[in-house]
Amino acid sequence: MAPVRVELTMRLARALGVLAHANVEVVAPGYADDDLLTTVHTPELLAAVRRSAADPSRMELEYGLGSDDNPCFPGMHDASARVVSGTVEMAQAVLSGEADHGVNITGGLHHAMPERASGFCIYNDIALGIRHLLDSGVQRVAYVDVDVHHGDGVQHIFYDDPRVLTISMHETPRTLFPGTGYPEETGGPNAEGSAVNIALPPGTNDAGWLRAFQAVIPPLLREFRPEILVTQHGCDSHAEDPLAHMALTIDGQRMAYEQLHALAHELCGGRWVVTGGGGYAVVDVVPRAWTHLLAIVADAPIDPETELPESWRSYVNERLGRSAPFRMTDGATPTFASWESGYDPGDWLDRAVLATRKASFPLYGLDPHW
């Protein structure tokens, strides 16, 4: 989660002209105050974060602070509050019509719980953004999470709220943190169907990921009819990511971004709130994946064959002593078989997709098989 991920992404986006388009405005966020933060988080967590920021040697493990996942550092509260403000301000801009789409590439901190930090996430900017939308009168918010890890914090916070549909597409919790996100997790007693989980086998590639995406996400979003689409774009599903076991390419990830963009226009009048997330191949994957995402949000997609600017590649070498990729593509041309073409009960991926459809589709009056 080193900030260099974001630095390299924004440098690449600028170098490729993404941020110079006439329809793009780059806005510096403020800082979320306690009144905003406590719409999701407990005052006790805020106090613990402030104590740990003042004394990073503290270990307050009951609040998830001081662990290997959440080491304490000076300015921790302010930095986390600024990430939150970016997502909430962006959500408000989309809600008000000031912007069609908005993206906070530093956001996507989907593991944070109301009472504790978790999985590199101190405050849950996504949940706070969704809460703001609900408090502003929005009645149906759909959240789609394509990070390789289950979006457990967002699901937990809205598990009993029928106004929010959370869909998380991730590596099976049998093999990856946080150990949740099974298809049977479908929402609380007052909101059956509000949570959908697509738990995919290790080694899933572009074809399998996109097949699962198309088999579950568009049909459920069309039935739910969201007013606003909120998406989290951790790019740690890539084959080069060191913390997971999937096999996607930049090209497959880019295709998923384009499909979510199209769904935002089809279902929400273009109202699309976008965040970053995980991604730990900080040179080879994150800057390219998220620059594609920024360009798609800006309605100015980049040709995958585009060469990376030599100035950017030189900076990577100077900054990190690393060689950078040459193009905005991994050279893949993703294709996939639609669910309607039939499914193989002997295939782990197809069994995983069918498990999700069987758990969730009947709650929306849909046939889980077709």
Side-chain angles (χ1 to χ4, degrees):
M1 288 293 275
V4 70
R5 305 180 318 147
V6 177
E7 178 192 356
L8 294 181
T9 297
M10 298 305 289
R11 277 183 172 268
L12 181 57
R14 287 193 177 94
L16 290 175
V18 174
L19 307 184
H21 286 286
N23 63 328
V24 172
E25 182 180 5
V26 179
V27 179
Y31 294 87
D33 61 21
D34 287 9
D35 287 343
L36 173 57
L37 293 170
T38 53
T39 61
V40 164
H41 294 291
T42 64
E44 292 77 14
L45 174 62
L46 271 60
V49 171
R50 284 192 168 98
R51 288 194 298 269
S52 296
D55 179 7
S57 65
R58 295 181 67 97
M59 292 183 65
E60 301 208 30
L61 295 180
E62 66 271 33
Y63 297 107
L65 300 171
S67 66
D68 289 343
D69 281 356
N70 300 297
C72 302
F73 58 91
M76 181 167 58
H77 171 81
D78 288 346
S80 302
R82 196 164 201 196
V83 172
V84 168
S85 184
T87 297
V88 173
E89 290 173 22
M90 172 180 64
Q92 176 58 35
V94 172
L95 177 62
S96 69
E98 180 183 347
D100 290 330
H101 312 328
V103 56
N104 178 8
I105 210 69
T106 68
L109 307 181
H110 59 170
H111 294 307
M113 296 291 179
E115 73 289 351
R116 60 183 171 84
S118 176
F120 308 152
C121 307
I122 307 301
Y123 300 139
N124 197 317
D125 65 292
I126 304 165
L128 285 152
I130 293 173
R131 178 69 70 198
H132 174 77
L133 293 173
L134 298 175
D135 290 347
S136 299
V138 177
Q139 292 300 306
R140 293 184 310 281
V141 178
Y143 169 67
V144 177
D145 186 321
V146 295
D147 194 289
V148 79
H149 302 88
H150 178 226
D152 58 335
V154 183
Q155 174 182 289
H156 170 76
I157 290 163
F158 299 109
Y159 202 64
D160 205 34
D161 193 331
R163 298 173 297 173
V164 181
L165 169 62
T166 65
I167 303 177
S168 181
M169 191 169 170
H170 48 266
E171 183 178 330
T172 173
R174 295 178 184 177
T175 57
L176 194 66
F177 176 90
T180 57
Y182 288 97
E184 297 76 20
E185 299 169 31
T186 58
N190 297 319
E192 275 291 317
S194 68
V196 176
N197 287 288
I198 313 165
L200 299 175
T204 296
N205 59 14
D206 290 342
W209 184 271
L210 294 168
R211 173 172 167 81
F213 182 106
Q214 286 293 342
V216 175
I217 294 174
L220 289 176
L221 289 181
R222 288 171 181 139
E223 287 297 317
F224 184 70
R225 296 178 295 108
E227 298 171 51
I228 292 183
L229 180 63
V230 179
T231 57
Q232 195 267 22
H233 294 266
C235 53
D236 38 11
S237 57
H238 194 276
E240 297 298 323
D241 196 274
L243 297 189
H245 316 96
M246 299 303 234
L248 271 70
T249 67
I250 292 287
D251 306 283
Q253 293 175 328
R254 179 180 181 274
M255 185 175 288
Y257 305 161
E258 290 179 327
Q259 291 174 1
L260 288 166
H261 185 197
L263 286 165
H265 281 284
E266 175 190 342
L267 302 172
C268 308
R271 290 183 289 274
W272 189 26
V273 174
V274 180
T275 71
Y280 310 100
V282 299
V283 171
D284 293 336
V285 177
V286 179
R288 291 188 297 156
W290 283 354
T291 296
H292 274 306
L293 177 63
L294 290 167
I296 289 166
V297 173
D299 290 317
I302 295 170
D303 184 338
E305 295 296 331
T306 300
E307 292 187 0
L308 274 69
E310 181 57 35
S311 61
W312 185 84
R313 298 185 69 256
S314 296
Y315 180 80
V316 170
N317 184 262
E318 294 168 6
R319 177 83 163 78
L320 299 174
R322 297 271 302 276
S323 296
F326 285 92
R327 293 187 300 162
M328 288 292 288
T329 177
D330 285 335
T333 304
T335 60
F336 63 95
S338 72
W339 190 255
E340 289 72 19
S341 66
Y343 67 94
D344 179 0
D347 182 79
W348 187 357
L349 183 131
D350 276 13
R351 291 199 304 271
V353 172
L354 185 58
T356 298
R357 287 172 63 109
K358 282 184 173 179
S360 297
F361 274 38
L363 300 173
Y364 286 88
L366 298 172
D367 185 333
H369 292 87
W370 308 113

